[in-house]
Amino acid sequence: MTTWVWVMTVAVGTAMWLWSIRLTLRAYPDERIPWWRAPRKAPAAAVALRAIGIALGTIGVAQTSGLVATSPGGAAIVAAVLMSALFLAPLYVALIRHNARVDTRAT
């Protein structure tokens, strides 16, 4: 397959991941969301979107890097940076902002 198909796979996976974050934050407007475990009862749609989104993103990132054939180590570094930027950074920013807003309301 061509590279643009894999790039679109990454884009769709990232969109699904971001949508799942939004659904989770909206399900708990007045509660803190824990960092290292799932919320007490995450919405089913958010769980499904998260699972499908991360799968599509991982497959897309792995296939997009042209370094796989020439430099597997370089491809791993590129994949780790992309996965962190696309999936971890938005999650942590959203959790920080949400939990800070909840803490401000509580005091």
Side-chain angles (χ1 to χ4, degrees):
M1 286 197 195
T2 60
T3 302
W4 70 269
V5 172
W6 298 119
V7 170
M8 291 304 297
T9 304
V10 171
V12 169
T14 302
M16 293 175 85
W17 174 259
L18 295 175
W19 189 10
S20 78
I21 293 170
R22 184 164 185 223
L23 287 175
T24 302
L25 296 179
R26 294 180 99 196
Y28 300 101
D30 298 324
E31 295 179 40
R32 287 181 55 86
I33 297 177
W35 283 86
W36 301 112
R37 61 181 175 83
R40 60 183 166 75
K41 186 169 186 330
V47 173
L49 284 168
R50 190 175 312 135
I52 295 168
I54 201 74
L56 288 175
T58 303
I59 291 168
V61 165
Q63 296 298 324
T64 300
S65 176
L67 295 173
V68 174
T70 59
S71 173
I77 292 169
V78 169
V81 169
L82 282 174
M83 294 296 286
S84 296
L86 296 175
F87 296 104
L88 288 180
L91 173 65
Y92 289 146
V93 168
L95 286 179
I96 289 168
R97 291 181 65 202
H98 174 80
N99 288 341
R101 188 176 65 241
V102 169
D103 289 343
T104 304
R105 286 186 196 165
T107 57

